[in-house]
Amino acid sequence: MLDLTRTYLPETAALPTGPSTRAVHGPVDGRAPHAHHALITPIVQTATYTFRDTADLRQFMEAKLWGQATDREEYGRYGNPTVRAVEKRIAALENGGGALIFPSGMTAVTNVILAILPTGSHVIYTDDCYRKTRQFCNTTLRRLGIETTQVAMGDYDALEQAIRPHTRLVISESPTNPYLRVVDLERLVSIVKPHRRIKTIIDATFATPINQNPLDFGVDLVIHSATKYLSGHNDILAGVVVGEAGLLHALRQSQGVMGGILDPHAAYLLERGLKTLALRVRQQNQTAQAVAEFLETHPKVARVWYPGLPSHPDYETAVHQMRGFGGVVSFEIAPVPGEEPLHSASRFIDAMTIPLIAPSLGGVESLIEQPALMSFYELSTEERLTIGIKDNLVRFAIGIEDAADILADLAQALAQV
Ligand SMILES: *Cc1c(COP(=O)(O)O)cnc(C)c1O
């Protein structure tokens, strides 16, 4: 008989563990206690680390010189025990050889891209992606003499044709923002892998490691804005990249130079958030599916974008490679005679009572926004349309409130449109 009041951990790391076990414990590697036998990873709030004497320092430097593992840190920019504990946990969740934490999702994106691409190289990225990633590619990278090609999401022929001899990187997101397009990762990898020098990066922020593990499909690096689901409480900014150990080692060297590191207190909050990741995401998947199905049959909604609906262009791919479809649902408010679509959508958002109006997603609080007014305010309706952002589009990032309350809120707000 199992005693359900205690936790049964596998005796060795070789035993398979599920996502909740990994989210709570990280890699299960025995019961080595933390300092002071604390159950919780201590917040090691220090800028630097001391050496007992010169011999101690020399021993550390020799080990470092020869690339041997050491069980201590040197200086805050090169590592911190609290941060490393979170890195291990996320690597375990993503089936990666290692992970590297950054102080925001964008520092992860920009540092990884800069570390990989030499001047004169070429990068391919897909169009429906985080706006700042796209901006970084077509402003900063171009200024550094790096060529960029944007290809339409889902156009695999265009992707193949865009590859040049000096292409070094293919970046995509899956699912994307705001249309929740899902990249066929097997197809992407089969196109890119024959070109040995090209690395693939998937920004999997919207999926979380609970719903999808891109590394399992042969993708080289996975990036998350840990500001979203991984931390899950709308209270910190953080980013992470996960991949094979050798590549991560090189990226870690680059991070030590670039200097973008997470504060240990924020790392503690990220670790705390991760423990409930599987619980939160499963609930968010479930509520989002119910919301998407409700909206799809509602007369005041013109179109719903959710990869868990058979009407979504990437439904088959999503079912094949994902275990859940995430907590974000995008939808278009149906035209109201005599009213600008922008205003109809705004009236709907203002009539909602539970979700707060804010950018971001993935936390316990539901957030709602109109992309036309949040991320693309400075553009005209026509300019927005050329990049696929419709004025009547609403992005609803579902939190962990009761599904019945969210559905009732949607029903009353739509009745007012
Ligand atoms: C939020 C987000 C980012 C940027 O992350 P920050 O933590 O805000 O820097 C990158 N990609 C996606 C998909 C995001 O949602």
Side-chain angles (χ1 to χ4, degrees):
M1 258 287 277
L2 286 180
D3 172 4
L4 294 178
T5 59
R6 55 165 287 198
T7 310
Y8 285 86
L9 292 185
E11 291 300 324
T12 72
L15 284 178
T17 52
S20 272
T21 308
R22 291 186 210 178
V24 173
H25 295 286
V28 174
D29 54 1
R31 294 202 175 115
H34 293 306
H36 314 296
H37 299 91
L39 169 64
I40 301 304
T41 308
I43 302 171
V44 183
Q45 193 72 49
T46 186
T48 190
Y49 303 86
T50 62
F51 294 89
R52 198 170 48 248
D53 50 26
T54 302
D56 188 27
L57 170 67
R58 277 184 174 278
Q59 194 186 7
F60 173 80
M61 288 300 172
E62 281 297 312
K64 193 170 127 178
L65 195 61
W66 299 104
Q68 294 157 357
T70 59
D71 61 356
R72 58 155 297 147
E73 303 295 347
E74 176 185 0
Y75 178 66
R77 191 165 9 84
Y78 309 139
N80 172 285
T82 315
V83 173
R84 288 202 194 252
V86 190
E87 288 174 343
K88 276 193 191 163
R89 199 171 291 237
I90 296 175
L93 279 165
E94 271 298 12
N95 300 332
L100 192 58
I101 302 245
F102 288 88
S104 69
M106 280 316 295
T107 25
V109 169
T110 56
N111 278 254
V112 168
I113 293 174
L114 287 174
I116 289 176
L117 291 178
T119 302
S121 61
H122 172 238
V123 55
I124 301 169
Y125 63 95
T126 49
D127 59 355
D128 188 28
C129 79
Y130 196 68
R131 195 178 180 202
K132 297 296 163 190
T133 301
R134 204 164 26 179
Q135 227 167 303
F136 176 74
C137 288
N138 58 38
T139 58
T140 314
L141 290 185
R142 282 194 195 163
R143 205 180 66 224
L144 295 176
I146 291 163
E147 268 188 89
T148 62
T149 304
Q150 177 174 310
V151 298
M153 183 74 196
D155 190 344
Y156 298 92
D157 292 336
L159 170 69
E160 191 156 18
Q161 281 158 20
I163 294 175
R164 320 241 184 101
H166 57 302
T167 307
R168 290 290 173 275
L169 198 56
V170 173
I171 310 168
S172 189
E173 244 166 68
S174 192
T176 61
N177 176 30
Y179 290 108
L180 292 316
R181 298 297 309 268
V182 178
V183 178
D184 183 336
L185 296 174
E186 276 168 5
R187 200 158 166 199
L188 176 87
V189 168
S190 77
I191 292 170
V192 175
K193 265 287 134 77
H195 306 270
R196 290 171 175 275
R197 300 176 74 177
I198 307 180
K199 297 270 182 252
T200 46
I201 298 180
I202 293 291
D203 179 336
T205 300
F206 276 54
T208 83
I210 304 303
N211 289 333
Q212 172 184 280
N213 296 117
L215 298 178
D216 293 352
F217 295 88
V219 166
D220 293 303
L221 292 167
V222 174
I223 289 179
H224 292 278
S225 165
T227 310
K228 317 292 170 51
Y229 293 96
L230 298 188
S231 62
H233 291 72
N234 289 321
D235 54 4
I236 61 159
L237 283 116
V240 63
V241 55
V242 195
E244 147 296 291
L247 193 48
L248 260 287
H249 179 75
L251 292 174
R252 196 178 285 283
Q253 301 300 309
S254 163
Q255 183 187 43
V257 176
M258 305 284 269
I261 50 113
L262 188 69
D263 179 84
H265 198 271
Y268 159 77
L269 287 171
L270 174 54
E271 186 177 278
R272 184 179 164 121
L274 278 172
K275 294 177 188 182
T276 55
L277 178 70
L279 286 177
R280 287 185 281 107
V281 169
R282 280 186 201 123
Q283 165 133 358
Q284 285 163 315
N285 286 341
Q286 249 179 33
T287 307
Q289 183 74 37
V291 163
E293 286 171 10
F294 168 77
L295 293 173
E296 188 155 59
T297 57
H298 200 288
K300 297 211 175 148
V301 174
R303 171 143 200 199
V304 183
W305 298 86
Y306 188 67
L309 292 179
S311 60
H312 190 278
D314 302 317
Y315 174 72
E316 304 288 340
T317 307
V319 168
H320 177 64
Q321 73 187 28
M322 299 180 79
R323 294 178 288 268
F325 308 112
V328 176
V329 181
S330 294
F331 53 101
E332 299 167 26
I333 299 295
V336 175
E339 187 177 43
E340 293 281 338
L342 190 74
H343 296 146
S344 310
S346 300
R347 281 202 298 116
F348 160 74
I349 285 178
D350 289 343
M352 288 290 287
T353 58
I354 294 173
L356 302 156
I357 301 174
S360 204
L361 58 125
V364 293
E365 296 90 358
S366 286
L367 301 179
I368 199 159
E369 64 155 283
Q370 208 172 338
L373 297 181
M374 190 64 82
S375 303
F376 301 91
Y377 190 82
E378 79 282 10
L379 304 183
S380 68
T381 296
E382 291 68 33
E383 286 169 327
R384 285 195 285 259
L385 277 178
T386 64
I387 53 169
I389 301 297
K390 295 186 180 177
D391 279 354
N392 62 343
L393 187 70
V394 174
R395 190 187 79 179
F396 189 10
I398 286 151
I400 63 162
E401 301 93 342
D402 293 294
D405 295 342
I406 289 175
L407 290 168
D409 199 16
L410 283 165
Q412 68 78 23
L414 283 169
Q416 296 185 49
V417 172

